[in-house]
Amino acid sequence: MWLPKRSVAALCVSALSDPASSSLSLLLLLSSPSANPRGCSRRVSSLPRPSMAAAEAAGKGEIRAMGDLRGGDEGRVWSSSGSGLSIPMGKQIFCNRSLNMKNITAVGFDMDYTLAQYKPETFEALAYQGTIAKLVNDLKYPDELLKWNFDWKYMVRGLVLDKKRGNILKMDRHKYVKVAYHGFREMSKEEKVAAYGNTLTRDSFDGADYVVIDTLFSLAEAYLFAQLVDFIDNNPEKVPWGTDYPGMCRDVRFAVDLCHRDGTLKKMVTMDPGSLWDYTNVVMNFLCGFHDSDDDCPCNSKWLEYFDVVITGSVKPSFFLEDNHASLFEVEAESGKLLNADLQIGSPTSALKRLKTAHKVYQGGSAGHLHRLLSIASSSQVLYVGDHIYGDILRSKKVLGWRTMLVIPELEEEVKLLSESKDTRKELRQYRRERDLVEDKIHRLEWSIVFEDLAYDEKQRLISEVHDLKVQREHVRRLHQDAQRICHQKFHKVWGQLMKTGFQNSRFAHQVERFACLYTSQVTNLGLYSPEKYYRPSEDFMPHEFDVLGL
């Protein structure tokens, strides 16, 4: 399967580091049909399944392979017989803003948690263990922390850490706190109102007192924060003198940064590579299955044939900023040696000539370098695929005007559970309607009792009827509450549905809707659609339209 004859590119982010830290790298994997006769669709979404030897080289299975889309009902590519007619809901690409792929000349992919899906049960455990070790060895926290364990299923994306109060929050799209925990203790409604509902001005939850958990890299950090909140509450004498919730959160962030800066996590995953390029090379070899266990070198650079340009060490998200003056270096793939490339891409013509050579790996630079390399006439010609709502999607869209696609690995399971909960959700809507009807009757009767000139017996009859209706309302309220709790816990025992808080979209869902043109569960889902697909959003509805249109 071939894409159109024009040049097409792919952008991908690399380097094992926290997306908020300065060491994060951007790997731009840019591909052109003319440079690869096997077709761009294979580069974009149907890379081969890696070998077991490659899994060993990539860190004993911390990384999930990209899906094999070459066979079977679950493995069709768009050009396969019968494909595209029935795509499972969990594999579909969802559209918030119209996007015609015919207008896209460059497609870019983040690497970490986009092309490379790390296994949280092993990979995040490494981050957790490394951070604990730094807290104990470097920041003098008690040794008993080393015995702590990490529950990788506990935290979810979209949460907010309140550093000042030691709370973990989930809120709706209006930034009202709906679920809140202090450490691992659920906060009561009264506690939530006292902390977040009695202020004269609405809190934006974006200031220095808050940390947004918007990437899968942050789940271990959030879990450790909750553990430390409980620990400091119960053992204040065991933590370093003067430590409070904000200080503890700063210590965790410092320890995480240490793990990235000194290469602790990279060493665990890639057997101590020497550079950002080395790490990228190991991971991409694993994903593409090019590792040969008989070679002296644990990996090679054959995977580069799928891409035109690779950029590591981009210091994302500053890579996207207009005033970024970072230098661009060319990386010699075999040696890892860096050569200054700034002077060699002075004009688009010279840049494109270089793309046809073997020099396709770069480090650093900015989006301006990329635009010149690809002769991008308009930023809307670039589609960028990433997993980080702020570092990948928001920045590239708001600053550059790139088109965006967010990868949400949790979405596939979310859609499955959503389908299974159809009956429960119908039941919840019915309970809401019943409660509304009962309340309306109560309000009418109470109004009559107060303002109408009624005989004593008639007034007493209405008072008794109001009492019975209030008992009925409380019964329906409990039924609704119990059904909602069951539905909530079906998705996650603590935080519920990723995209909802009750009947409202969650803050995370609101961000996805605002900043991601497209979103899907994994990047390989692109292979299930035509490369010339015109993605169109579903119709928006206002509340008044649902009953009128029978929705």
Side-chain angles (χ1 to χ4, degrees), residues 417-461:
L417 294 174
L418 193 62
S419 177
E420 295 174 358
S421 66
K422 285 181 181 179
D423 292 340
T424 303
R425 298 184 76 84
K426 288 180 181 178
E427 186 180 28
L428 286 170
R429 287 193 291 271
Q430 180 60 32
Y431 286 143
R432 292 188 83 192
R433 284 192 289 267
E434 285 186 37
R435 190 173 175 181
D436 285 342
L437 289 173
V438 172
E439 285 181 341
D440 187 56
K441 291 180 181 178
I442 291 173
H443 296 155
R444 290 176 181 275
L445 291 176
E446 287 179 334
W447 187 271
S448 296
I449 292 169
V450 174
F451 293 104
E452 292 184 13
D453 186 16
L454 302 173
Y456 177 79
D457 290 345
E458 178 66 12
K459 182 176 287 189
Q460 290 303 114
R461 186 186 68 78

Side-chain angles (χ1 to χ4, degrees), residues 328 340-346 350:
L328 182 70
N340 193 325
D342 272 336
L343 300 178
Q344 301 174 10
I345 61 167
S350 62

Side-chain angles (χ1 to χ4, degrees), residues 295-399:
D295 292 345
D296 293 334
C297 178
C299 55
N300 57 60
S301 301
K302 291 180 181 178
W303 63 271
L304 285 173
E305 69 185 55
Y306 291 127
F307 306 100
D308 290 325
V309 172
V310 176
I311 298 182
T312 65
S314 65
V315 197
K316 194 180 60 139
S318 63
F319 180 87
F320 302 121
L321 302 181
E322 292 181 10
D323 59 353
N324 182 359
H325 302 296
S327 297
L328 182 70
F329 296 92
E330 183 181 299
V331 181
E332 288 187 351
E334 294 184 1
S335 67
K337 183 179 178 180
L338 300 182
L339 304 173
N340 193 325
D342 272 336
L343 300 178
Q344 301 174 10
I345 61 167
S347 69
T349 302
S350 62
L352 290 176
K353 286 181 179 178
R354 292 188 59 76
L355 284 179
K356 298 178 181 179
T357 71
H359 303 291
K360 56 169 62 178
V361 182
Y362 298 91
Q363 182 169 308
S366 67
H369 289 112
L370 176 67
H371 286 182
R372 291 197 297 274
L373 280 169
L374 299 175
S375 292
I376 297 294
S378 170
S379 292
S380 62
Q381 293 177 316
V382 179
L383 171 63
Y384 182 60
V385 186
D387 70 288
H388 189 227
I389 192 71
Y390 284 105
D392 292 332
I393 304 302
L394 185 151
R395 294 284 188 175
S396 62
K397 184 170 186 175
K398 292 188 70 173
V399 176

Side-chain angles (χ1 to χ4, degrees), residues 113 387 395 450 471 497 528:
Y113 277 117
D387 70 288
R395 294 284 188 175
V450 174
V471 171
Q497 190 175 345
L528 302 175

Side-chain angles (χ1 to χ4, degrees), residues 443-542:
H443 296 155
R444 290 176 181 275
L445 291 176
E446 287 179 334
W447 187 271
S448 296
I449 292 169
V450 174
F451 293 104
E452 292 184 13
D453 186 16
L454 302 173
Y456 177 79
D457 290 345
E458 178 66 12
K459 182 176 287 189
Q460 290 303 114
R461 186 186 68 78
L462 294 183
I463 290 174
S464 176
E465 188 175 346
V466 168
H467 176 269
D468 291 342
L469 286 170
K470 286 184 177 180
V471 171
Q472 182 182 350
R473 180 181 64 180
E474 179 62 20
H475 175 66
V476 175
R477 187 192 69 81
R478 286 198 301 267
L479 290 175
H480 179 270
Q481 190 177 59
D482 291 342
Q484 191 169 46
R485 183 180 298 107
I486 292 171
C487 186
H488 176 93
Q489 293 179 342
K490 187 178 183 66
F491 287 89
H492 191 280
K493 62 180 181 180
V494 177
W495 306 108
Q497 190 175 345
L498 179 68
M499 297 292 190
K500 294 284 184 184
T501 52
F503 284 87
Q504 292 283 300
N505 283 349
S506 66
R507 186 187 188 191
F508 179 75
H510 183 54
Q511 292 166 339
V512 172
E513 190 175 38
R514 286 181 65 194
F515 302 119
C517 300
L518 307 174
Y519 65 98
T520 192
S521 61
Q522 55 184 330
V523 71
T524 51
N525 295 341
L526 282 167
L528 302 175
Y529 292 82
S530 165
E532 295 188 349
K533 170 76 174 175
Y534 196 139
Y535 294 95
R536 296 180 175 88
S538 57
E539 183 179 355
D540 290 339
F541 293 102
M542 292 287 288

Side-chain angles (χ1 to χ4, degrees), residues 194-210:
Y196 306 107
N198 285 333
T199 57
L200 293 175
T201 58
R202 291 284 299 138
D203 197 329
S204 66
F205 298 97
D206 293 326
D209 290 334
Y210 302 99

